[in-house]
Amino acid sequence: MIRLRRVYDPPEPGADGVRVLVDRLWPRGLSKAAAAVDEWPREVTPSAELRRWFHAGGSAGEFRRRYEAELAGPGAVAELERLRGLAAAGPLTLLTAVREPASGHAAILAELLTGA
């Protein structure tokens, strides 16, 4: 099971399982203790260039295409496989600072991890 949550929301110990931050930058104003992040694999986060392009007015569809292309790189592929293994072993929560995790890059990543 893969969950999507905001990193600013308090941890849910019985439901979150392994908590994985999937943002390139550490969330503003949040201590590492409060975030309770277990892992931070930067290989599967959108690159700085892609983030800048999107925030400058890039389209969601093109962002998805470019992000999936980044995730096809060797380092990302290995990390995706490792994350799939974690998800198979128990709950996996993808954490992001975006306001609507279900409509951001974390949702794309979750789809790739589940094969949906």
Side-chain angles (χ1 to χ4, degrees):
M1 179 175 112
I2 298 177
R3 301 177 71 198
L4 301 177
R5 298 195 62 218
R6 290 196 77 213
V7 69
Y8 297 106
D9 295 336
E12 294 179 2
D16 282 351
V18 178
R19 293 171 50 88
V20 180
L21 179 63
V22 294
D23 288 343
R24 177 70 54 160
L25 304 174
W26 188 262
R28 290 180 187 230
L30 188 65
S31 71
K32 293 192 191 251
V37 169
D38 297 311
E39 300 200 17
W40 188 16
R42 290 174 188 86
E43 298 89 352
V44 298
T45 65
S47 67
E49 296 81 21
L50 181 56
R51 287 180 31 260
R52 278 193 294 274
W53 172 84
F54 184 69
H55 292 295
S59 71
E62 181 63 13
F63 173 85
R64 180 184 191 96
R65 188 190 71 71
R66 291 180 183 197
Y67 182 42
E68 288 177 348
E70 287 184 356
L71 292 173
V77 168
E79 190 60 33
L80 288 171
E81 282 305 310
R82 195 181 71 73
L83 291 174
R84 280 187 191 102
L86 289 174
L92 178 71
T93 299
L94 302 180
L95 302 168
T96 181
V98 300
R99 285 192 171 92
E100 297 293 331
S103 62
H105 70 281
I108 297 169
L109 183 57
E111 287 177 26
L112 291 173
L113 290 172
T114 61

